Amino acid sequence: MATKRFFDDFVDPDSNQPNYKRLRKTPSFASVIKEVVMVNFLDNFCSALEPMLRKVVHEEVESGLRRCSRSIGRSPSLRIKTLEPSNLRLIFNKKLSLPIFTNSKIMDSDGQYPLQLLLVDATGDCLVPTTLATPIKIEIVVLDGDFPSGENWTHEEFNKNIVKERAGKRPLVTGELNITMRDGVASLGDLEFTDNSSWIRSRRFRIGAKVVHIGNGQNSIRIMEAMTDSFMVKDHRGELYKKHYPPALGDDVWRLEKIGKDGTFHKKLTSHGIKTVQDFLKLANIDPHKIRRILGNGMSEKMWEVTYRHAKTCEMGTKSYIARGPNYILILNPICQVIRAIINGQICHSRELRGIQRSYIENLVRNAFTNWSSLEEVDGGLQVNEPTALLTEGERVVHHQNAYPRSALLTAAGGSIECSDWIVNQAHICLPIESSSEEELHYL
């Protein structure tokens, strides 16, 4: 050890000579520990200091930018021109058809696509269609359903509420998202959502349209953005089970409210041959007690009212059905309600007869229902001035100039057919005919 200390303490005066080889010191364990502690301290210190330095730099940069903007604003030659206020705005021509499902084309309330945008002038109480002399470039975006909170909004607020796709997902809406408006009208093309709206707080979207460029240097004009009402976007698998509003005659019966696809009510109805909305309405009109028995006690009175009310919104179309017999002709609508009847070739005014039996016409209607497949189908409706084809040859016909309304004159109620406007006997069926004279009779 004495020798080591001797060499450590010894300094040769000739150590600066080129051929002098200095002995290397061996670091001690304590010095190594000291260096490690010092390095760790510096790392921790720098990590703690970095946020403070970032904040100071950020504040200084913002302060510098504010000073710079004030100096630019004071300079007339460098002043930035703001958007001029105007009453122009974009609007969607019609509301959307709801509900909306993913991977399905977005249609308007009339079931048409593509959607259309209009440019209007909102001066006063009316929206007046208008045009610009130059084309307008428009971008289609998706907005949060909670926006806006008021009727007016700024361009910055609009952009702030644009919703983008979730991480790792496809673009939220696909289609032609950048369009050109000419002459104040633009079509959006086919739009489809790729994701549902359940993942955002409002659980609802809006479709928005904003101007991104106006030709001939008119970008200083402020045109208010367009947006639809808020709506939910459901997964396309739910489309397989959605109800129709209004339902069509040929729709499966489970499209009605309170009747689930492959559910108990659906199975009961189909087992009795009631497969479509038309089948449901025909039996409901002819024998409502029977259809209630088929559905069973599981369908409460309130549920039945909801289902039947939904079914009655069905569009009847223009088809009529003709039931013929030896001395009668019945003209029925698609759900087995009588539009017109001819007995022995004539019809009388209802006010001329009182207290006549209804059982005859009821039996004829029931017989027509039972033999529905054999009835003659006529498309486009029948006019009162075209009855000769329905009558036996040789019968006298007096034409009336106006067509009878296509509303049902017989409806089912309590298992019997209401005939408040019909007075019936074995020989005649009378219905009201518009006339200036109560004594005047018009015969088909």
Side-chain angles (χ1 to χ4, degrees), residues 334-381:
I335 59 174
C336 209
Q337 293 174 324
V338 176
I339 299 173
R340 216 172 302 156
I342 305 167
I343 306 298
N344 292 332
Q346 76 181 79
I347 300 176
C348 299
H349 199 288
S350 63
R351 287 174 292 191
E352 296 193 0
L353 298 175
R354 293 291 182 270
I356 308 300
Q357 297 179 6
R358 299 178 183 179
S359 59
Y360 182 61
I361 190 68
E362 292 180 8
N363 290 334
L364 294 180
V365 174
R366 291 180 187 277
N367 183 64
F369 170 75
T370 304
N371 300 282
W372 189 264
S373 60
S374 63
L375 301 186
E376 180 183 346
E377 183 179 303
V378 180
D379 198 1

mmCIF file of all heavy atoms in Angstrom, residues 334-381:
data_model
loop_
_atom_site.group_PDB
_atom_site.id
_atom_site.type_symbol
_atom_site.label_atom_id
_atom_site.label_comp_id
_atom_site.label_asym_id
_atom_site.label_seq_id
_atom_site.Cartn_x
_atom_site.Cartn_y
_atom_site.Cartn_z
ATOM 1 N N PRO A 334 -108.562 -2.833 -51.064
ATOM 2 C CA PRO A 334 -107.644 -3.952 -50.792
ATOM 3 C C PRO A 334 -107.796 -4.580 -49.412
ATOM 4 O O PRO A 334 -107.252 -5.667 -49.188
ATOM 5 C CB PRO A 334 -106.261 -3.315 -50.941
ATOM 6 C CG PRO A 334 -106.472 -2.166 -51.865
ATOM 7 C CD PRO A 334 -107.819 -1.632 -51.494
ATOM 8 N N ILE A 335 -108.507 -3.935 -48.478
ATOM 9 C CA ILE A 335 -108.650 -4.530 -47.142
ATOM 10 C C ILE A 335 -110.098 -4.922 -46.866
ATOM 11 O O ILE A 335 -110.550 -4.932 -45.740
ATOM 12 C CB ILE A 335 -108.114 -3.581 -46.050
ATOM 13 C CG1 ILE A 335 -108.855 -2.253 -46.061
ATOM 14 C CG2 ILE A 335 -106.612 -3.360 -46.234
ATOM 15 C CD1 ILE A 335 -108.461 -1.340 -44.917
ATOM 16 N N CYS A 336 -110.810 -5.261 -47.960
ATOM 17 C CA CYS A 336 -112.139 -5.845 -47.882
ATOM 18 C C CYS A 336 -113.191 -4.890 -47.314
ATOM 19 O O CYS A 336 -114.105 -5.316 -46.606
ATOM 20 C CB CYS A 336 -112.118 -7.149 -47.083
ATOM 21 S SG CYS A 336 -113.381 -8.333 -47.594
ATOM 22 N N GLN A 337 -113.068 -3.636 -47.618
ATOM 23 C CA GLN A 337 -114.104 -2.670 -47.296
ATOM 24 C C GLN A 337 -114.837 -2.311 -48.576
ATOM 25 O O GLN A 337 -114.231 -2.170 -49.638
ATOM 26 C CB GLN A 337 -113.496 -1.408 -46.657
ATOM 27 C CG GLN A 337 -112.887 -1.652 -45.291
ATOM 28 C CD GLN A 337 -112.173 -0.425 -44.761
ATOM 29 O OE1 GLN A 337 -111.556 0.311 -45.530
ATOM 30 N NE2 GLN A 337 -112.265 -0.204 -43.464
ATOM 31 N N VAL A 338 -116.175 -2.144 -48.499
ATOM 32 C CA VAL A 338 -116.988 -1.885 -49.676
ATOM 33 C C VAL A 338 -116.821 -0.439 -50.126
ATOM 34 O O VAL A 338 -117.021 0.495 -49.346
ATOM 35 C CB VAL A 338 -118.474 -2.187 -49.390
ATOM 36 C CG1 VAL A 338 -119.325 -1.823 -50.602
ATOM 37 C CG2 VAL A 338 -118.652 -3.641 -49.026
ATOM 38 N N ILE A 339 -116.477 -0.278 -51.382
ATOM 39 C CA ILE A 339 -116.441 1.050 -51.991
ATOM 40 C C ILE A 339 -117.782 1.342 -52.653
ATOM 41 O O ILE A 339 -118.322 2.434 -52.526
ATOM 42 C CB ILE A 339 -115.317 1.142 -53.043
ATOM 43 C CG1 ILE A 339 -113.956 0.887 -52.391
ATOM 44 C CG2 ILE A 339 -115.327 2.504 -53.733
ATOM 45 C CD1 ILE A 339 -112.822 0.794 -53.385
ATOM 46 N N ARG A 340 -118.327 0.353 -53.351
ATOM 47 C CA ARG A 340 -119.552 0.527 -54.105
ATOM 48 C C ARG A 340 -120.261 -0.813 -54.212
ATOM 49 O O ARG A 340 -119.601 -1.857 -54.240
ATOM 50 C CB ARG A 340 -119.206 1.048 -55.502
ATOM 51 C CG ARG A 340 -120.169 2.022 -56.086
ATOM 52 C CD ARG A 340 -119.601 2.580 -57.372
ATOM 53 N NE ARG A 340 -118.317 3.230 -57.155
ATOM 54 C CZ ARG A 340 -117.400 3.397 -58.105
ATOM 55 N NH1 ARG A 340 -117.631 2.925 -59.305
ATOM 56 N NH2 ARG A 340 -116.275 4.004 -57.838
ATOM 57 N N ALA A 341 -121.576 -0.780 -54.301
ATOM 58 C CA ALA A 341 -122.344 -2.008 -54.473
ATOM 59 C C ALA A 341 -123.485 -1.770 -55.441
ATOM 60 O O ALA A 341 -124.089 -0.702 -55.450
ATOM 61 C CB ALA A 341 -122.882 -2.500 -53.141
ATOM 62 N N ILE A 342 -123.758 -2.785 -56.247
ATOM 63 C CA ILE A 342 -124.840 -2.718 -57.212
ATOM 64 C C ILE A 342 -125.714 -3.952 -57.000
ATOM 65 O O ILE A 342 -125.220 -5.080 -57.125
ATOM 66 C CB ILE A 342 -124.317 -2.682 -58.652
ATOM 67 C CG1 ILE A 342 -123.332 -1.519 -58.832
ATOM 68 C CG2 ILE A 342 -125.457 -2.591 -59.652
ATOM 69 C CD1 ILE A 342 -122.552 -1.589 -60.110
ATOM 70 N N ILE A 343 -126.976 -3.760 -56.650
ATOM 71 C CA ILE A 343 -127.912 -4.858 -56.455
ATOM 72 C C ILE A 343 -129.048 -4.688 -57.454
ATOM 73 O O ILE A 343 -129.704 -3.635 -57.480
ATOM 74 C CB ILE A 343 -128.466 -4.897 -55.028
ATOM 75 C CG1 ILE A 343 -127.321 -4.929 -54.023
ATOM 76 C CG2 ILE A 343 -129.392 -6.089 -54.842
ATOM 77 C CD1 ILE A 343 -126.432 -6.130 -54.106
ATOM 78 N N ASN A 344 -129.247 -5.728 -58.252
ATOM 79 C CA ASN A 344 -130.277 -5.658 -59.288
ATOM 80 C C ASN A 344 -130.121 -4.429 -60.176
ATOM 81 O O ASN A 344 -131.084 -3.851 -60.650
ATOM 82 C CB ASN A 344 -131.678 -5.658 -58.671
ATOM 83 C CG ASN A 344 -132.012 -6.992 -58.019
ATOM 84 O OD1 ASN A 344 -131.496 -8.037 -58.440
ATOM 85 N ND2 ASN A 344 -132.841 -6.962 -56.992
ATOM 86 N N GLY A 345 -128.847 -4.011 -60.325
ATOM 87 C CA GLY A 345 -128.546 -2.950 -61.269
ATOM 88 C C GLY A 345 -128.807 -1.544 -60.808
ATOM 89 O O GLY A 345 -128.716 -0.620 -61.616
ATOM 90 N N GLN A 346 -129.113 -1.304 -59.531
ATOM 91 C CA GLN A 346 -129.375 0.071 -59.134
ATOM 92 C C GLN A 346 -128.953 0.357 -57.699
ATOM 93 O O GLN A 346 -128.795 -0.539 -56.880
ATOM 94 C CB GLN A 346 -130.864 0.399 -59.315
ATOM 95 C CG GLN A 346 -131.773 -0.188 -58.254
ATOM 96 C CD GLN A 346 -133.220 0.161 -58.536
ATOM 97 O OE1 GLN A 346 -133.850 -0.469 -59.374
ATOM 98 N NE2 GLN A 346 -133.740 1.163 -57.860
ATOM 99 N N ILE A 347 -128.757 1.646 -57.433
ATOM 100 C CA ILE A 347 -128.412 2.157 -56.118
ATOM 101 C C ILE A 347 -129.377 3.292 -55.803
ATOM 102 O O ILE A 347 -129.673 4.119 -56.657
ATOM 103 C CB ILE A 347 -126.971 2.682 -56.060
ATOM 104 C CG1 ILE A 347 -125.987 1.565 -56.406
ATOM 105 C CG2 ILE A 347 -126.654 3.260 -54.695
ATOM 106 C CD1 ILE A 347 -124.555 2.020 -56.476
ATOM 107 N N CYS A 348 -129.835 3.350 -54.571
ATOM 108 C CA CYS A 348 -130.772 4.395 -54.164
ATOM 109 C C CYS A 348 -130.141 5.288 -53.105
ATOM 110 O O CYS A 348 -129.228 4.892 -52.390
ATOM 111 C CB CYS A 348 -132.066 3.791 -53.607
ATOM 112 S SG CYS A 348 -132.954 2.771 -54.788
ATOM 113 N N HIS A 349 -130.668 6.494 -53.000
ATOM 114 C CA HIS A 349 -130.202 7.423 -51.980
ATOM 115 C C HIS A 349 -130.573 6.878 -50.600
ATOM 116 O O HIS A 349 -131.704 6.449 -50.369
ATOM 117 C CB HIS A 349 -130.833 8.800 -52.207
ATOM 118 C CG HIS A 349 -130.084 9.897 -51.514
ATOM 119 N ND1 HIS A 349 -130.101 10.069 -50.155
ATOM 120 C CD2 HIS A 349 -129.287 10.884 -52.011
ATOM 121 C CE1 HIS A 349 -129.365 11.113 -49.837
ATOM 122 N NE2 HIS A 349 -128.856 11.622 -50.947
ATOM 123 N N SER A 350 -129.617 6.932 -49.653
ATOM 124 C CA SER A 350 -129.830 6.306 -48.345
ATOM 125 C C SER A 350 -130.934 6.962 -47.543
ATOM 126 O O SER A 350 -131.578 6.328 -46.711
ATOM 127 C CB SER A 350 -128.526 6.335 -47.537
ATOM 128 O OG SER A 350 -128.138 7.663 -47.286
ATOM 129 N N ARG A 351 -131.176 8.240 -47.807
ATOM 130 C CA ARG A 351 -132.169 8.946 -46.998
ATOM 131 C C ARG A 351 -133.601 8.549 -47.355
ATOM 132 O O ARG A 351 -134.536 8.921 -46.663
ATOM 133 C CB ARG A 351 -131.991 10.460 -47.175
ATOM 134 C CG ARG A 351 -130.760 10.995 -46.478
ATOM 135 C CD ARG A 351 -130.519 12.436 -46.784
ATOM 136 N NE ARG A 351 -130.141 12.621 -48.182
ATOM 137 C CZ ARG A 351 -129.667 13.763 -48.671
ATOM 138 N NH1 ARG A 351 -129.513 14.794 -47.851
ATOM 139 N NH2 ARG A 351 -129.357 13.877 -49.936
ATOM 140 N N GLU A 352 -133.762 7.781 -48.435
ATOM 141 C CA GLU A 352 -135.104 7.405 -48.844
ATOM 142 C C GLU A 352 -135.574 6.112 -48.201
ATOM 143 O O GLU A 352 -136.748 5.762 -48.318
ATOM 144 C CB GLU A 352 -135.159 7.273 -50.371
ATOM 145 C CG GLU A 352 -134.897 8.600 -51.063
ATOM 146 C CD GLU A 352 -135.254 8.554 -52.534
ATOM 147 O OE1 GLU A 352 -135.702 7.492 -52.996
ATOM 148 O OE2 GLU A 352 -135.097 9.583 -53.197
ATOM 149 N N LEU A 353 -134.661 5.366 -47.536
ATOM 150 C CA LEU A 353 -135.028 4.096 -46.915
ATOM 151 C C LEU A 353 -134.583 4.103 -45.460
ATOM 152 O O LEU A 353 -133.535 4.633 -45.123
ATOM 153 C CB LEU A 353 -134.378 2.927 -47.667
ATOM 154 C CG LEU A 353 -134.794 2.759 -49.142
ATOM 155 C CD1 LEU A 353 -133.983 1.660 -49.778
ATOM 156 C CD2 LEU A 353 -136.287 2.466 -49.250
ATOM 157 N N ARG A 354 -135.345 3.456 -44.602
ATOM 158 C CA ARG A 354 -135.011 3.401 -43.189
ATOM 159 C C ARG A 354 -135.275 2.001 -42.645
ATOM 160 O O ARG A 354 -136.215 1.315 -43.078
ATOM 161 C CB ARG A 354 -135.861 4.402 -42.396
ATOM 162 C CG ARG A 354 -135.563 5.870 -42.707
ATOM 163 C CD ARG A 354 -134.175 6.259 -42.201
ATOM 164 N NE ARG A 354 -133.897 7.663 -42.439
ATOM 165 C CZ ARG A 354 -133.344 8.140 -43.523
ATOM 166 N NH1 ARG A 354 -133.020 7.326 -44.516
ATOM 167 N NH2 ARG A 354 -133.107 9.433 -43.658
ATOM 168 N N GLY A 355 -134.421 1.576 -41.688
ATOM 169 C CA GLY A 355 -134.634 0.353 -40.942
ATOM 170 C C GLY A 355 -134.562 -0.925 -41.756
ATOM 171 O O GLY A 355 -135.229 -1.913 -41.446
ATOM 172 N N ILE A 356 -133.763 -0.971 -42.825
ATOM 173 C CA ILE A 356 -133.653 -2.168 -43.667
ATOM 174 C C ILE A 356 -132.515 -3.050 -43.129
ATOM 175 O O ILE A 356 -131.546 -2.570 -42.572
ATOM 176 C CB ILE A 356 -133.387 -1.772 -45.126
ATOM 177 C CG1 ILE A 356 -134.413 -0.748 -45.578
ATOM 178 C CG2 ILE A 356 -133.438 -2.995 -46.026
ATOM 179 C CD1 ILE A 356 -135.838 -1.229 -45.522
ATOM 180 N N GLN A 357 -132.618 -4.353 -43.340
ATOM 181 C CA GLN A 357 -131.631 -5.305 -42.826
ATOM 182 C C GLN A 357 -130.248 -5.073 -43.448
ATOM 183 O O GLN A 357 -130.143 -4.710 -44.611
ATOM 184 C CB GLN A 357 -132.073 -6.733 -43.130
ATOM 185 C CG GLN A 357 -133.363 -7.151 -42.475
ATOM 186 C CD GLN A 357 -133.742 -8.563 -42.851
ATOM 187 O OE1 GLN A 357 -132.978 -9.252 -43.512
ATOM 188 N NE2 GLN A 357 -134.911 -8.970 -42.423
ATOM 189 N N ARG A 358 -129.226 -5.347 -42.615
ATOM 190 C CA ARG A 358 -127.843 -5.258 -43.092
ATOM 191 C C ARG A 358 -127.227 -6.635 -43.341
ATOM 192 O O ARG A 358 -126.123 -6.728 -43.879
ATOM 193 C CB ARG A 358 -126.986 -4.520 -42.066
ATOM 194 C CG ARG A 358 -127.435 -3.099 -41.789
ATOM 195 C CD ARG A 358 -126.558 -2.464 -40.742
ATOM 196 N NE ARG A 358 -127.017 -1.115 -40.421
ATOM 197 C CZ ARG A 358 -126.440 -0.334 -39.521
ATOM 198 N NH1 ARG A 358 -125.401 -0.785 -38.854
ATOM 199 N NH2 ARG A 358 -126.912 0.868 -39.303
ATOM 200 N N SER A 359 -127.868 -7.667 -42.917
ATOM 201 C CA SER A 359 -127.266 -8.998 -42.979
ATOM 202 C C SER A 359 -126.933 -9.416 -44.404
ATOM 203 O O SER A 359 -125.947 -10.124 -44.642
ATOM 204 C CB SER A 359 -128.208 -10.030 -42.359
ATOM 205 O OG SER A 359 -129.446 -10.031 -43.042
ATOM 206 N N TYR A 360 -127.730 -8.937 -45.379
ATOM 207 C CA TYR A 360 -127.496 -9.352 -46.762
ATOM 208 C C TYR A 360 -126.128 -8.873 -47.255
ATOM 209 O O TYR A 360 -125.328 -9.640 -47.779
ATOM 210 C CB TYR A 360 -128.610 -8.800 -47.651
ATOM 211 C CG TYR A 360 -128.500 -9.211 -49.100
ATOM 212 C CD1 TYR A 360 -128.544 -10.555 -49.466
ATOM 213 C CD2 TYR A 360 -128.357 -8.250 -50.101
ATOM 214 C CE1 TYR A 360 -128.442 -10.930 -50.792
ATOM 215 C CE2 TYR A 360 -128.254 -8.616 -51.430
ATOM 216 C CZ TYR A 360 -128.304 -9.954 -51.770
ATOM 217 O OH TYR A 360 -128.197 -10.328 -53.081
ATOM 218 N N ILE A 361 -125.822 -7.567 -47.065
ATOM 219 C CA ILE A 361 -124.548 -7.041 -47.519
ATOM 220 C C ILE A 361 -123.387 -7.620 -46.715
ATOM 221 O O ILE A 361 -122.302 -7.863 -47.244
ATOM 222 C CB ILE A 361 -124.540 -5.503 -47.472
ATOM 223 C CG1 ILE A 361 -123.301 -4.932 -48.174
ATOM 224 C CG2 ILE A 361 -124.594 -4.992 -46.053
ATOM 225 C CD1 ILE A 361 -123.292 -5.149 -49.639
ATOM 226 N N GLU A 362 -123.611 -7.884 -45.429
ATOM 227 C CA GLU A 362 -122.558 -8.491 -44.608
ATOM 228 C C GLU A 362 -122.193 -9.870 -45.131
ATOM 229 O O GLU A 362 -121.012 -10.222 -45.221
ATOM 230 C CB GLU A 362 -123.011 -8.566 -43.155
ATOM 231 C CG GLU A 362 -123.150 -7.208 -42.478
ATOM 232 C CD GLU A 362 -123.614 -7.340 -41.040
ATOM 233 O OE1 GLU A 362 -123.672 -8.485 -40.547
ATOM 234 O OE2 GLU A 362 -123.924 -6.320 -40.412
ATOM 235 N N ASN A 363 -123.183 -10.645 -45.479
ATOM 236 C CA ASN A 363 -122.923 -11.991 -45.999
ATOM 237 C C ASN A 363 -122.184 -11.932 -47.328
ATOM 238 O O ASN A 363 -121.294 -12.751 -47.596
ATOM 239 C CB ASN A 363 -124.232 -12.756 -46.149
ATOM 240 C CG ASN A 363 -124.843 -13.122 -44.810
ATOM 241 O OD1 ASN A 363 -124.132 -13.254 -43.815
ATOM 242 N ND2 ASN A 363 -126.169 -13.266 -44.768
ATOM 243 N N LEU A 364 -122.552 -10.967 -48.175
ATOM 244 C CA LEU A 364 -121.855 -10.820 -49.449
ATOM 245 C C LEU A 364 -120.388 -10.483 -49.239
ATOM 246 O O LEU A 364 -119.503 -11.000 -49.926
ATOM 247 C CB LEU A 364 -122.530 -9.734 -50.286
ATOM 248 C CG LEU A 364 -123.953 -10.002 -50.773
ATOM 249 C CD1 LEU A 364 -124.446 -8.817 -51.593
ATOM 250 C CD2 LEU A 364 -124.026 -11.287 -51.586
ATOM 251 N N VAL A 365 -120.095 -9.591 -48.276
ATOM 252 C CA VAL A 365 -118.711 -9.200 -48.012
ATOM 253 C C VAL A 365 -117.920 -10.361 -47.433
ATOM 254 O O VAL A 365 -116.769 -10.610 -47.811
ATOM 255 C CB VAL A 365 -118.664 -7.972 -47.080
ATOM 256 C CG1 VAL A 365 -117.234 -7.648 -46.695
ATOM 257 C CG2 VAL A 365 -119.305 -6.776 -47.754
ATOM 258 N N ARG A 366 -118.542 -11.111 -46.527
ATOM 259 C CA ARG A 366 -117.848 -12.269 -45.951
ATOM 260 C C ARG A 366 -117.554 -13.311 -47.018
ATOM 261 O O ARG A 366 -116.486 -13.937 -47.029
ATOM 262 C CB ARG A 366 -118.692 -12.864 -44.831
ATOM 263 C CG ARG A 366 -118.806 -11.988 -43.593
ATOM 264 C CD ARG A 366 -119.667 -12.656 -42.527
ATOM 265 N NE ARG A 366 -119.899 -11.753 -41.419
ATOM 266 C CZ ARG A 366 -119.046 -11.574 -40.411
ATOM 267 N NH1 ARG A 366 -117.914 -12.244 -40.401
ATOM 268 N NH2 ARG A 366 -119.319 -10.723 -39.444
ATOM 269 N N ASN A 367 -118.489 -13.507 -47.910
ATOM 270 C CA ASN A 367 -118.272 -14.463 -48.986
ATOM 271 C C ASN A 367 -117.140 -14.004 -49.901
ATOM 272 O O ASN A 367 -116.312 -14.806 -50.351
ATOM 273 C CB ASN A 367 -119.568 -14.643 -49.780
ATOM 274 C CG ASN A 367 -119.427 -15.689 -50.866
ATOM 275 O OD1 ASN A 367 -119.212 -16.862 -50.587
ATOM 276 N ND2 ASN A 367 -119.555 -15.255 -52.117
ATOM 277 N N ALA A 368 -117.061 -12.690 -50.157
ATOM 278 C CA ALA A 368 -115.971 -12.155 -50.969
ATOM 279 C C ALA A 368 -114.634 -12.341 -50.269
ATOM 280 O O ALA A 368 -113.615 -12.662 -50.906
ATOM 281 C CB ALA A 368 -116.220 -10.673 -51.261
ATOM 282 N N PHE A 369 -114.606 -12.155 -48.957
ATOM 283 C CA PHE A 369 -113.369 -12.360 -48.193
ATOM 284 C C PHE A 369 -112.906 -13.811 -48.279
ATOM 285 O O PHE A 369 -111.723 -14.094 -48.483
ATOM 286 C CB PHE A 369 -113.604 -11.951 -46.744
ATOM 287 C CG PHE A 369 -112.485 -12.328 -45.815
ATOM 288 C CD1 PHE A 369 -111.298 -11.617 -45.805
ATOM 289 C CD2 PHE A 369 -112.615 -13.414 -44.954
ATOM 290 C CE1 PHE A 369 -110.258 -11.962 -44.953
ATOM 291 C CE2 PHE A 369 -111.584 -13.766 -44.105
ATOM 292 C CZ PHE A 369 -110.399 -13.034 -44.103
ATOM 293 N N THR A 370 -113.855 -14.726 -48.147
ATOM 294 C CA THR A 370 -113.507 -16.151 -48.199
ATOM 295 C C THR A 370 -112.956 -16.535 -49.560
ATOM 296 O O THR A 370 -112.051 -17.373 -49.663
ATOM 297 C CB THR A 370 -114.745 -17.001 -47.870
ATOM 298 O OG1 THR A 370 -115.260 -16.605 -46.592
ATOM 299 C CG2 THR A 370 -114.404 -18.479 -47.840
ATOM 300 N N ASN A 371 -113.476 -15.929 -50.623
ATOM 301 C CA ASN A 371 -113.053 -16.259 -51.988
ATOM 302 C C ASN A 371 -112.206 -15.138 -52.591
ATOM 303 O O ASN A 371 -112.330 -14.827 -53.778
ATOM 304 C CB ASN A 371 -114.290 -16.523 -52.854
ATOM 305 C CG ASN A 371 -115.134 -17.663 -52.337
ATOM 306 O OD1 ASN A 371 -114.810 -18.833 -52.517
ATOM 307 N ND2 ASN A 371 -116.239 -17.322 -51.663
ATOM 308 N N TRP A 372 -111.391 -14.536 -51.767
ATOM 309 C CA TRP A 372 -110.621 -13.368 -52.198
ATOM 310 C C TRP A 372 -109.762 -13.652 -53.427
ATOM 311 O O TRP A 372 -109.649 -12.824 -54.333
ATOM 312 C CB TRP A 372 -109.746 -12.880 -51.047
ATOM 313 C CG TRP A 372 -109.076 -11.567 -51.315
ATOM 314 C CD1 TRP A 372 -107.814 -11.352 -51.786
ATOM 315 C CD2 TRP A 372 -109.667 -10.275 -51.148
ATOM 316 N NE1 TRP A 372 -107.563 -10.012 -51.907
ATOM 317 C CE2 TRP A 372 -108.680 -9.322 -51.522
ATOM 318 C CE3 TRP A 372 -110.898 -9.830 -50.711
ATOM 319 C CZ2 TRP A 372 -108.916 -7.962 -51.485
ATOM 320 C CZ3 TRP A 372 -111.143 -8.467 -50.672
ATOM 321 C CH2 TRP A 372 -110.161 -7.548 -51.047
ATOM 322 N N SER A 373 -109.159 -14.816 -53.495
ATOM 323 C CA SER A 373 -108.266 -15.133 -54.612
ATOM 324 C C SER A 373 -108.998 -15.205 -55.942
ATOM 325 O O SER A 373 -108.382 -15.093 -57.005
ATOM 326 C CB SER A 373 -107.541 -16.457 -54.352
ATOM 327 O OG SER A 373 -108.473 -17.519 -54.204
ATOM 328 N N SER A 374 -110.308 -15.387 -55.911
ATOM 329 C CA SER A 374 -111.072 -15.493 -57.154
ATOM 330 C C SER A 374 -111.667 -14.159 -57.591
ATOM 331 O O SER A 374 -112.314 -14.088 -58.645
ATOM 332 C CB SER A 374 -112.207 -16.523 -56.990
ATOM 333 O OG SER A 374 -113.136 -16.098 -56.000
ATOM 334 N N LEU A 375 -111.480 -13.102 -56.804
ATOM 335 C CA LEU A 375 -112.034 -11.806 -57.173
ATOM 336 C C LEU A 375 -111.264 -11.207 -58.349
ATOM 337 O O LEU A 375 -110.092 -11.481 -58.564
ATOM 338 C CB LEU A 375 -111.986 -10.840 -55.984
ATOM 339 C CG LEU A 375 -112.728 -11.254 -54.709
ATOM 340 C CD1 LEU A 375 -112.694 -10.120 -53.699
ATOM 341 C CD2 LEU A 375 -114.160 -11.664 -54.998
ATOM 342 N N GLU A 376 -111.964 -10.373 -59.095
ATOM 343 C CA GLU A 376 -111.355 -9.682 -60.225
ATOM 344 C C GLU A 376 -110.622 -8.435 -59.720
ATOM 345 O O GLU A 376 -111.210 -7.619 -59.010
ATOM 346 C CB GLU A 376 -112.430 -9.290 -61.242
ATOM 347 C CG GLU A 376 -111.887 -8.566 -62.462
ATOM 348 C CD GLU A 376 -113.002 -8.139 -63.410
ATOM 349 O OE1 GLU A 376 -114.140 -8.643 -63.248
ATOM 350 O OE2 GLU A 376 -112.737 -7.294 -64.282
ATOM 351 N N GLU A 377 -109.363 -8.304 -60.081
ATOM 352 C CA GLU A 377 -108.546 -7.167 -59.632
ATOM 353 C C GLU A 377 -108.520 -6.088 -60.700
ATOM 354 O O GLU A 377 -108.262 -6.371 -61.876
ATOM 355 C CB GLU A 377 -107.128 -7.639 -59.317
ATOM 356 C CG GLU A 377 -106.217 -6.559 -58.765
ATOM 357 C CD GLU A 377 -104.825 -7.081 -58.441
ATOM 358 O OE1 GLU A 377 -104.724 -8.027 -57.644
ATOM 359 O OE2 GLU A 377 -103.862 -6.545 -59.011
ATOM 360 N N VAL A 378 -108.815 -4.869 -60.295
ATOM 361 C CA VAL A 378 -108.824 -3.729 -61.212
ATOM 362 C C VAL A 378 -107.856 -2.682 -60.684
ATOM 363 O O VAL A 378 -107.935 -2.289 -59.517
ATOM 364 C CB VAL A 378 -110.240 -3.122 -61.333
ATOM 365 C CG1 VAL A 378 -110.220 -1.945 -62.295
ATOM 366 C CG2 VAL A 378 -111.231 -4.174 -61.793
ATOM 367 N N ASP A 379 -106.939 -2.221 -61.520
ATOM 368 C CA ASP A 379 -105.963 -1.219 -61.100
ATOM 369 C C ASP A 379 -106.398 0.155 -61.586
ATOM 370 O O ASP A 379 -106.986 0.293 -62.652
ATOM 371 C CB ASP A 379 -104.583 -1.542 -61.678
ATOM 372 C CG ASP A 379 -103.479 -0.818 -60.932
ATOM 373 O OD1 ASP A 379 -103.794 -0.092 -59.970
ATOM 374 O OD2 ASP A 379 -102.305 -0.971 -61.307
ATOM 375 N N GLY A 380 -106.158 1.181 -60.775
ATOM 376 C CA GLY A 380 -106.460 2.547 -61.159
ATOM 377 C C GLY A 380 -107.797 3.038 -60.694
ATOM 378 O O GLY A 380 -108.149 4.194 -60.893
ATOM 379 N N GLY A 381 -108.590 2.196 -60.043
ATOM 380 C CA GLY A 381 -109.884 2.633 -59.531
ATOM 381 C C GLY A 381 -110.951 2.630 -60.601
ATOM 382 O O GLY A 381 -110.685 2.500 -61.798
#
